[in-house]
Amino acid sequence: MRGTARSVVMVAGVSAVTLLAAACGGGSGSTSTSSSAAAKTGGAVTVHGCNPQNPLIPGNTNETCGGNVIDAVTAKLVHYNAETGAPENDIADKIETTDNQNFTVTLKHGYKFQDGTEVKAKNFVDAWNWVSYGPNAQQNSYFFQPIDGFNDTQCADPACKTKPKTDKMSGLAVKDDYTFTIKTSEKVSNLPVRLGYTAFAPLPDSFFKDPKAFGEHPVGAGPFQFVSWTKNTEIKLAKFKDYSGKWAAKLDNVTFKIYQDEDAAYNDVIANQLDVTDSVPTSAMIDDKYKTDLPDRNAQKSVGVIQTITFAPTSVDPNYANPKIRQAISMAIDRKTIVKQIFNNTRVPATGWVSPVVDGYKANQCGEFCVYDPAKAKALLDEAGGFKGSRMTLAYNADSSHKAWTEATCNSIKNALGVDCVATPVVDFATFRSQITSHKMKGMFRTGWQMDYPSIEDFLAPLYKTKASSNDGEYSNPEFDKLIDDAAAATDPAQANAKYQQAEAILATDMPVIPMWYSTATFGWSTKVTNVKITAFGTIDLASLSLK
Amino acid sequence: MYKYVIRRLLQMIPVLLGATFIIFAMVFALPGDPTAGMCGERPCSPGFVAQFRAEHNLNDPLPTRYAKYMANLAQGDLGTTFRGEQVSDELAQRYPTTAKLALMAIVFEALIGVLAGVFAGIRKGKFIDNLVLVSTLFVIAIPVFVIGETMQYYLGVKWSLFPVTVSPDATFYELLMPAFVLGSSSIAYAARLTRTNLVENLRADYIRTAIAKGLTRRRAIGLHALRNSLIPVITFVGADFGSLLGGAIVTERIFNIQGVGGYLYTGIHNRDGVSVVGTVTILVLVFLLVNLLVDLLYGVLDPRISHD
């Protein structure tokens, strides 16, 4: 969910075009090039940053601005490979299970927090219990939902007036200093993959004494330690000398410079006054201008983001109930032309519901329904008995750059199907989301998803499972749910992926959501730095970054 | 004179109250729940929403919230934003930068603007007059972001004469280019205003008399004509200083200056009412004070304008 909250950041406006800019595209392959001149250690660099939304507590950070800082400061059980996104053990020595439900986690010895204490099993269990506990009001608490006993730690009423039954999840138990067990309420085959997410970071004992002070000065066991945060201006990190993991920092100091405007950051990179930027402004995307502005110091990489169009639940708007109508609409959208004309080819037309960056991705899951064919689309619509409503609507939040593509999409639908389609703006993201969750939104509306962890499951279960937390269209199909459950129970990863792919194929038949395109991130850097790696999440891998 | 000042200061209280209430009502009467978009495309957890609403008094009706806000304001507390920042801290950190920028822009405005106006005025119809008229028209016609981005690109990115953006320290050198950009249209207005008034006053009887009595032309213009001509210019510059202090939203964004303008912009964009109301309250106060100062300056320039 960090993903979508990233779009909140985008919406929230520091750089209104982040996603657009962070979405530069070329195929599914990554072209993470960087001049591999001899990298030296030490030195200081500046990196484009934005102001964190919340105090810097891992359990409460679900957007990029704070996430980039927390990820550098903390180490988790699992680390995602900077290039492939594949999970690799970090603090965890091993995570063992035989049934996908009872996990035993063994920690490596010697990991230290930046306050000098050692990372022990209880630091994980205490942290997870604290973050999940309802009254602590942590935005990431839902990440612990699979763990047994999670519901007992949640507030019973919306106002959280009555205390939950317990503040400890029954599924977590400390065995000894370096071992603890996790029991999930249902089978979760990809639990180890999830454990690399920010919310699962261990917290030192000092955290529990004063969470508020921690939020201003986070402490983790990661390659960098936190130095200072001048609100809206800059965040400073320094190399953590006692870091004992495999991904030690090469640099001595990293400063996140906070910009109000991405053009300013971009100009600073050209002039070598800022070392790395993760946002290239739209103006520099036109005709690939950034490639001449920043020769040999730019890169693009596919990131785990997909843009979609969701249909309002049938109970809210019955006009779209027939899957054939939804398929017809999907076929009526000329993704290729829109991506070319509106996004300057910085996105890749989607052929399914899962991003190409994750393990288990299968191309063309959407089949012919994601291929532009106005004649077939019209025929399909006629077959379904035509569209009963007066006109189609496609809603978007007007505080970000969605106007152009929604209008183009509507035009494409209108031309192909002969049904009037109007792109309707909603004043801002907050209003937009509240209309969707309170079921006031009719017709179609834009949705986006950025993965929380690199797993095919994250693109399916939270979005399309019956009553799932981000199932905006209230899609429900018992067959789909069963396949997801079976996949979660499968002990063989290949088998699990096959089940997930079968589930994804059902979406093509029901078409609750139309896949639009996958995103790509574009980066630029100064002549001073080298080894710029972009992660599958579209962030800079600070640990490998170094001066030339 | 003192009575006048005190009366003016007392008048500020209702103005301040009215302005804050209007801003407060406008910002907080907007539809939509601020927590709706906070957790992305997933609704926030009930615990989070409950705590957030309680912390920011969102469960109270508007008048109660306004009363609570004003009670805090009376004690000098400008409130805490949705992001947990103390508005007073933020403004205290930002106002010096914005003040520095505004002051530098005013210096540009006064020096270049008045000087150009004087030269154009005393050589009416000559080449320099036409040059000033055409160039000021040109500057007025171009939006400030075009001037800003063009200067940033050529002077900063391409020729590396000035820093591209301003660091948190906001040094004098770093602020030179932004201040010039910020003051550019005001320079043009000040020049035109000075020129028109000077031309008019130079035709006045008292100047003719002064020159007839044997005063040098330089003295007649400098001491008599200019002094009268500057009254409207002072009014303009004074009002301008107020709005410059209010933060030059566009300029501050282009040069990444951590000033009040950018803060106000983000506040509005994030619908963070507390920061908007706090910033505007201070802004209204600054405006009122600057206006008072300008009114008092009239008396200095023209003793006939008396406040007694």
Side-chain angles (χ1 to χ4, degrees):
Chain A
M1 244 329 284
R2 163 116 134 243
T4 35
R6 278 171 202 218
S7 18
V8 181
V9 175
M10 160 183 85
V11 162
V14 183
S15 54
V17 242
T18 310
L19 198 57
L20 204 152
C24 199
S28 51
S30 66
T31 50
S32 169
T33 51
S34 60
S35 46
S36 34
K40 61 176 188 188
T41 52
V45 303
T46 50
V47 171
H48 180 207
C50 45
N51 202 45
Q53 228 175 9
N54 299 307
L56 291 168
I57 296 171
N60 210 20
T61 298
N62 70 345
E63 37 78 51
T64 333
C65 302
N68 288 344
V69 177
I70 289 285
D71 279 342
V73 170
T74 57
K76 274 85 60 174
L77 290 171
V78 167
H79 173 269
Y80 299 124
N81 184 292
E83 300 203 37
T84 62
E88 299 159 344
N89 282 348
D90 190 354
I91 302 180
D93 189 29
K94 46 188 190 270
I95 302 169
E96 295 163 309
T97 181
T98 48
D99 57 358
N100 281 345
Q101 195 157 13
N102 291 288
F103 298 82
T104 306
V105 181
T106 318
L107 307 183
K108 285 181 191 144
H109 293 235
Y111 265 79
K112 278 211 174 105
F113 282 114
Q114 287 134 14
D115 62 3
T117 55
E118 197 183 352
V119 183
K120 294 186 174 160
K122 74 171 163 62
N123 293 111
F124 283 95
V125 172
D126 291 350
W128 297 3
N129 279 329
W130 194 89
V131 174
S132 76
Y133 186 56
N136 286 334
Q138 296 296 292
Q139 291 196 13
N140 286 337
S141 68
Y142 65 87
F143 269 94
F144 300 96
Q145 203 208 332
I147 297 175
D148 205 25
F150 170 81
N151 288 336
D152 294 338
T153 63
Q154 295 306 294
C155 302
D157 58 311
C160 215
K161 285 209 173 80
T162 44
K163 289 256 179 262
K165 269 187 233 161
T166 167
D167 59 358
K168 292 196 170 44
M169 290 182 279
S170 55
L172 295 177
V174 177
K175 291 287 166 220
D176 59 54
D177 274 0
Y178 302 101
T179 321
F180 70 100
T181 55
I182 309 168
K183 183 177 186 291
T184 53
S185 48
E186 281 164 26
K187 291 178 189 292
V188 187
S189 61
N190 68 347
L191 188 77
V193 184
R194 299 185 191 197
L195 296 179
Y197 185 70
T198 320
F200 293 96
L203 293 171
D205 295 341
S206 57
F207 167 82
F208 301 96
K209 283 181 205 125
D210 193 351
K212 212 166 183 180
F214 185 97
E216 294 290 313
H217 195 292
V219 172
F224 286 94
Q225 72 182 63
F226 181 88
V227 178
S228 67
W229 173 12
T230 314
K231 297 262 168 83
N232 295 305
T233 307
E234 60 182 18
I235 296 171
K236 287 187 167 169
L237 304 180
K239 181 180 182 157
F240 176 39
K241 300 274 186 318
D242 284 339
Y243 174 73
S244 46
K246 273 187 275 178
W247 298 275
K250 295 199 176 74
L251 294 160
D252 285 336
N253 292 289
V254 170
T255 303
F256 287 93
K257 266 177 92 175
I258 296 168
Y259 284 84
Q260 307 164 50
D261 188 51
E262 61 174 4
D263 283 89
Y266 179 73
N267 283 333
D268 261 355
V269 170
I270 300 179
N272 277 321
Q273 288 176 10
L274 174 72
D275 292 320
V276 188
T277 181
D278 55 357
S279 66
V280 172
T282 329
S283 54
M285 289 287 187
I286 297 167
D287 295 331
D288 289 341
K289 183 173 167 287
Y290 71 95
K291 286 185 182 162
T292 39
D293 283 345
L294 302 167
D296 303 324
R297 38 190 185 116
N298 65 78
Q300 294 187 333
K301 177 158 178 164
S302 307
V303 292
V305 177
I306 182 170
Q307 281 285 328
T308 47
I309 291 176
T310 302
F311 294 98
T314 310
S315 56
V316 179
D317 194 338
N319 285 327
Y320 301 84
N322 190 337
K324 278 187 182 156
I325 292 180
R326 302 199 288 252
Q327 286 163 343
I329 294 172
S330 177
M331 284 175 101
I333 301 170
D334 188 355
R335 294 171 182 75
K336 238 184 211 152
T337 311
I338 297 172
V339 161
K340 189 169 161 230
Q341 292 186 342
I342 312 265
F343 298 115
N344 212 42
N345 283 327
T346 57
R347 295 182 185 198
V348 183
T351 62
W353 290 262
V354 174
S355 164
V357 304
V358 298
D359 183 36
Y361 163 76
K362 191 176 166 193
N364 292 322
Q365 285 280 54
C366 182
E368 58 167 346
F369 302 123
C370 286
V371 179
Y372 177 59
D373 190 336
K376 262 195 191 163
K378 183 85 177 77
L380 202 58
L381 183 71
D382 291 341
E383 205 185 312
F387 184 71
K388 293 289 186 299
S390 59
R391 63 181 187 188
M392 296 179 179
T393 52
L394 172 54
Y396 63 96
N397 49 309
D399 56 355
S400 191
S401 43
H402 296 298
K403 185 176 157 65
W405 76 259
T406 44
E407 281 178 352
T409 303
C410 250
N411 267 332
S412 183
I413 295 172
K414 189 158 55 178
N415 291 340
L417 301 180
V419 180
D420 196 15
C421 177
V422 188
T424 28
V426 176
V427 57
D428 62 11
F429 190 67
T431 318
F432 182 67
R433 288 307 307 175
S434 64
Q435 283 186 15
I436 293 169
T437 44
S438 61
H439 300 308
K440 284 188 190 117
M441 183 78 79
K442 289 184 186 291
M444 303 178 273
F445 48 88
R446 67 149 285 266
T447 36
W449 184 258
Q450 180 164 5
M451 63 182 185
D452 302 316
Y453 37 85
S455 168
I456 179 172
E457 179 267 350
D458 194 39
F459 282 94
L460 299 171
L463 293 163
Y464 311 115
K465 223 183 145 184
T466 305
K467 296 213 185 295
S469 56
S470 296
N471 190 342
D472 289 331
E474 298 202 327
Y475 173 68
S476 175
N477 183 332
E479 204 187 333
F480 179 89
D481 294 351
K482 185 167 183 315
L483 281 165
I484 294 286
D485 289 342
D486 288 352
T491 41
D492 173 35
Q495 207 186 344
N497 283 348
K499 292 276 183 197
Y500 283 125
Q501 286 165 357
Q502 279 177 39
E504 189 189 358
I506 294 179
L507 295 176
T509 326
D510 293 341
M511 194 64 73
V513 163
I514 300 176
M516 297 297 284
W517 33 72
Y518 310 120
S519 296
T520 329
T522 307
F523 280 68
W525 53 88
S526 73
T527 51
K528 291 191 291 188
V529 294
T530 184
N531 234 345
V532 183
K533 280 186 195 162
I534 304 161
T535 68
F537 294 91
T539 58
I540 309 155
D541 182 40
L542 286 181
S544 48
L545 185 67
S546 69
L547 287 173
K548 264 183 189 164
Chain B
M1 171 82 169
Y2 292 111
K3 255 192 201 157
Y4 173 78
V5 173
I6 289 167
R7 200 170 66 229
R8 283 285 297 265
L9 287 174
L10 286 177
Q11 276 172 2
M12 288 180 188
I13 296 170
V15 175
L16 206 61
L17 280 175
T20 47
F21 181 73
I22 291 170
I23 296 287
F24 196 88
M26 284 201 298
V27 172
F28 286 102
L30 284 171
D33 180 353
T35 60
M38 273 199 139
C39 306
E41 320 234 336
R42 185 192 298 258
C44 291
S45 78
F48 179 82
V49 174
Q51 186 178 332
F52 187 87
R53 294 192 72 88
E55 245 172 43
H56 297 284
N57 299 326
L58 292 179
N59 298 321
D60 297 332
L62 188 71
T64 322
R65 271 158 69 194
Y66 180 67
K68 280 186 183 170
Y69 181 81
M70 287 314 281
N72 285 335
L73 188 66
Q75 298 163 26
D77 178 8
L78 287 170
T80 310
T81 67
F82 290 168
R83 288 174 169 227
E85 304 155 353
Q86 283 299 121
V87 176
S88 43
D89 289 354
E90 285 290 314
L91 291 182
Q93 188 198 323
R94 284 153 185 280
Y95 252 110
T97 308
T98 300
K100 211 152 124 194
L101 180 70
L103 214 62
M104 284 170 70
I106 288 290
V107 170
F108 274 125
E109 194 175 327
L111 278 183
I112 305 179
V114 172
L115 222 58
V118 169
F119 278 122
I122 55 180
R123 294 188 209 281
K124 183 173 163 267
K126 302 273 169 50
F127 170 74
I128 185 134
D129 185 28
N130 287 321
L131 182 74
V132 168
L133 283 180
V134 171
S135 57
T136 51
L137 189 71
F138 186 68
V139 171
I140 292 168
I142 301 176
V144 69
F145 73 89
V146 175
I147 301 178
E149 287 188 357
T150 312
M151 282 185 67
Q152 184 187 42
Y153 185 70
Y154 283 101
L155 299 182
V157 177
K158 250 196 151 157
W159 301 329
S160 311
L161 294 175
F162 291 97
V164 179
T165 56
V166 175
S167 74
D169 305 330
T171 60
F172 176 75
Y173 176 56
E174 285 172 340
L175 286 175
L176 270 179
M177 183 163 62
F180 184 80
V181 171
L182 181 61
S184 58
S185 67
S186 304
I187 294 173
Y189 282 117
R192 293 187 144 233
L193 214 55
T194 313
R195 177 198 172 269
T196 314
N197 281 294
L198 194 61
V199 165
E200 205 174 292
N201 280 325
L202 284 178
R203 278 206 305 257
D205 290 342
Y206 69 91
I207 295 293
R208 211 169 350 142
T209 314
I211 291 175
K213 276 174 70 184
L215 238 65
T216 57
R217 189 175 146 80
R218 173 179 298 228
R219 217 170 144 71
I221 294 170
L223 208 65
H224 297 273
L226 196 58
R227 190 161 159 177
N228 279 328
S229 309
L230 281 183
I231 290 178
V233 180
I234 292 279
T235 316
F236 169 74
V237 173
D240 207 38
F241 186 61
S243 57
L244 291 181
L245 266 186
I249 293 183
V250 175
T251 313
E252 288 193 359
R253 267 181 84 81
I254 294 174
F255 296 100
N256 199 43
I257 299 169
Q258 303 298 341
V260 177
Y263 190 61
L264 192 59
Y265 176 83
T266 2
I268 295 169
H269 206 104
N270 296 343
R271 297 181 63 180
D272 205 330
V274 183
S275 64
V276 177
V277 180
T279 314
V280 172
T281 307
I282 299 296
L283 220 59
V284 172
L285 202 66
V286 168
F287 249 100
L288 292 173
L289 289 174
V290 170
N291 257 317
L292 177 61
L293 200 71
V294 168
D295 284 353
L296 293 176
L297 264 181
Y298 286 161
V300 177
L301 283 172
D302 186 350
R304 284 174 304 174
I305 304 173
S306 155
H307 297 301
D308 289 320

